[in-house]
Amino acid sequence: MRKMMVATFLAGSAIAAPALAQDVAPTFTGPRVEAILGYDHVGAGSDIDNDNGRDDQSIDGLLYGVGAGYDVNLGSAVVGVEGEFTNSTAKSNRHDFTDDFGFGRVKQGRDLYIGARAGILADPATLVYVKGGYTNSKLKVLAGDTNETTDTAFKLDGWRIGAGVERAINTNTFAKLEYRYSNYNDGKIKFGDGATSSEFNVDTDRHQVVASVGYRF
């Protein structure tokens, strides 16, 4: 009986070992999706001179959206590609008509981002990373000094860089905290009739601090 118990224990250990190894297998690899929520700050860049003594005019709001990506775990490092669709509640004060951003009163619209990231594993469950890529943003414009909105929108092209920390909750779920800076330097106007203006130079800065929770497949 004692020999049978020992044999049973050894067999169970042999079966459990691969399962345990699977539980602690390296994370941060494969496709992922996530929900994004955070703080959004949009303002005139350092090159803007709006001639009203308020060159640092800005708007603030809540950023929200979704993201997706694909990562490859190289052992002590992780590289990947990612994309986002976000929106924001940031908008200027309708009761104080000013020349914000050189555009008039504005409301931050949707933002599209695609880029790459690379990081190192601080420990098996913690990734510290940097990121960068292309961003396209939309600003909805209230033209003139009335309270009537127009269909005019500014579409801005720019670049984004950032850094963050990702923590694996378990094999499939994770949480992130991230800061990113964006600069938009090219713009176009899309009119209500569908026509689009030629490209022109802008200088708009964007700072964001966001948290994400996600699932890795």
Side-chain angles (χ1 to χ4, degrees):
M1 178 66 69
R2 182 177 298 176
K3 290 181 179 179
M4 184 178 296
M5 292 175 61
V6 171
T8 302
F9 174 77
L10 292 175
S13 298
I15 294 173
L20 180 60
Q22 185 177 5
D23 288 341
V24 297
T27 55
F28 309 106
T29 191
R32 59 181 166 87
V33 294
E34 61 192 87
I36 301 167
L37 188 68
Y39 167 69
D40 192 22
H41 173 93
V42 187
S46 59
D47 293 337
I48 295 298
D49 181 6
N50 50 32
D51 296 325
N52 62 7
R54 298 174 62 191
D55 293 344
D56 294 329
Q57 292 173 84
S58 60
I59 54 177
D60 302 272
L62 181 69
L63 181 79
Y64 56 95
V66 294
Y70 188 93
D71 297 311
V72 177
N73 191 325
L74 302 176
S76 61
V78 174
V79 295
V81 294
E82 59 185 3
E84 289 182 7
F85 175 89
T86 59
N87 212 325
S88 175
T89 64
K91 61 182 179 180
S92 62
N93 187 349
R94 293 173 61 96
H95 302 291
D96 178 19
F97 181 75
T98 58
D99 192 20
D100 291 356
F101 317 118
F103 299 150
R105 286 177 285 182
V106 298
K107 180 182 184 302
Q108 179 64 53
R110 64 105 182 103
D111 184 89
L112 304 174
Y113 166 78
I114 184 169
R117 70 173 187 165
I120 58 173
L121 292 171
D123 61 51
T126 305
L127 175 69
V128 180
Y129 63 89
V130 294
K131 63 184 291 178
Y134 164 79
T135 173
N136 176 274
S137 185
K138 185 176 182 181
L139 293 175
K140 302 175 183 179
V141 179
L142 175 64
D145 56 1
T146 70
N147 289 324
E148 295 182 6
T149 57
T150 71
D151 291 328
T152 305
F154 285 78
K155 290 188 175 181
L156 309 180
D157 292 313
W159 48 269
R160 175 173 297 164
I161 56 174
V165 177
E166 180 176 327
R167 178 74 177 179
I169 300 172
N170 55 43
T171 304
N172 296 106
T173 59
F174 62 88
K176 290 165 53 181
L177 183 64
E178 182 178 293
Y179 164 78
R180 56 263 198 108
Y181 165 76
S182 304
N183 179 263
Y184 302 93
N185 43 41
D186 293 314
K188 292 182 180 179
I189 301 175
K190 183 177 181 181
F191 300 99
D193 59 4
T196 303
S197 74
S198 58
E199 194 171 272
F200 52 88
N201 294 330
V202 297
D203 183 14
T204 300
D205 288 340
R206 196 171 189 182
H207 300 269
Q208 299 168 333
V209 178
V210 302
S212 305
V213 291
Y215 184 86
R216 192 179 301 277
F217 298 93

